[in-house]
Amino acid sequence: MFLKRLDIIGFKSFADRVNVEFVPGVTAVVGPNGSGKSNITESIRWVLGEQSAKSLRGSKMEDVIFAGSDSRKPLNFAEVTLTLDNEDQGLPLDYNEVSITRRVFRSGESDFLINNQSCRLKDIVDLIMDSGLGREAFSIISQGKVEEILNSKPEDRRTIFEEAAGVLKYKNRKKKAENKLFETQENLNRVQDILHELEGQVEPLKIQASMAKDF
Ligand code: ATP
């Protein structure tokens, strides 16, 4: 699975439609400060389901829409489409190419599409979560994150590596399963207590029953 193409229109500084083709050999996007490099990575995070406007350097989701410039009027919507090559079936979909689209309007309405079929945000998040492409999967490391990783405590750094290696997902599942087991054991203990109490009543009740029968 690899990133093939990114189509952006109306997202942040991209007022005109921009198509970035990630042909084999493309390893970097360079440009002067403020030319929109971070906006490209943010558009990828956004289309993959980012829900925090703050982490996209805005205060509300509407801030991702092109806000206008001296020579251009603001736009009413932002749209990003990410196209992935899926010949290796890295994504569990029966298509050799998968495109994911997210659109937001100034009115607050949103659209989400997988291969041009309308879907929910959750469908996109679920689709990519297990592919190692997720929001938190460190397939995208933004500015400042590298420093954060280097400066973090060894335990925290371990968590980051585990997340990147895809181990954390299983660790979390294990923890949940262990909690469930613990709760079930507690319930079993309670049942044992009740049984113990009831067992004590069996003998006296037997005697009472036999006396009642005799009577
Ligand atoms: P740096 O190297 O400093 O990180 P960069 O090349 O990554 O810069 P970005 O930070 O991605 O650049 O781009 C910032 C530019 O995007 C700024 O000029 C900013 O005004 C513009 N911008 C951000 N949001 C919007 C928006 N909603 N509408 C119009 N322009 C926007």
Side-chain angles (χ1 to χ4, degrees), residues 10-14 31-40 42 57 62-69 106 143:
F11 186 90
K12 294 226 168 178
S13 51
F14 302 107
N33 280 350
S35 59
K37 304 182 297 290
S38 306
N39 290 346
I40 293 182
E42 280 165 4
R57 296 180 296 168
E62 198 193 308
D63 293 339
V64 302
I65 305 172
F66 175 69
S69 66
R106 256 185 220 290
Q143 280 177 48

Side-chain angles (χ1 to χ4, degrees), residues 49-92:
E50 181 59 72
Q51 280 170 285
S52 153
K54 206 173 134 230
S55 86
L56 298 167
R57 296 180 296 168
S59 57
K60 47 190 177 333
M61 215 29 109
E62 198 193 308
D63 293 339
V64 302
I65 305 172
F66 175 69
S69 66
D70 294 343
S71 55
R72 292 194 73 139
K73 280 202 256 169
L75 288 181
N76 275 326
F77 77 102
E79 182 183 304
V80 176
T81 301
L82 182 84
T83 307
L84 296 158
D85 181 287
N86 193 41
E87 271 190 47
D88 62 357
Q89 304 287 297
L91 294 171

Side-chain angles (χ1 to χ4, degrees), residues 97-160:
E97 200 177 272
V98 174
S99 65
I100 300 168
T101 304
R102 180 170 182 177
R103 209 180 285 140
V104 67
F105 295 89
R106 256 185 220 290
S107 58
E109 258 173 81
S110 284
D111 290 327
F112 303 94
L113 302 105
I114 295 174
N115 282 353
N116 284 326
Q117 302 277 328
S118 191
C119 67
R120 299 164 305 169
L121 172 61
K122 189 177 176 300
D123 299 321
I124 293 178
V125 173
D126 286 350
L127 176 68
I128 58 169
M129 192 164 68
D130 283 338
S131 68
L133 253 185
R135 249 185 313 148
E136 301 294 336
F138 295 96
S139 47
I140 300 162
I141 299 183
S142 50
Q143 280 177 48
K145 194 80 197 175
V146 175
E147 211 178 323
E148 197 184 312
I149 295 171
L150 292 176
N151 290 336
S152 58
K153 283 186 282 173
E155 306 88 283
D156 296 341
R157 204 175 304 152
R158 188 193 166 107
T159 314
I160 292 166

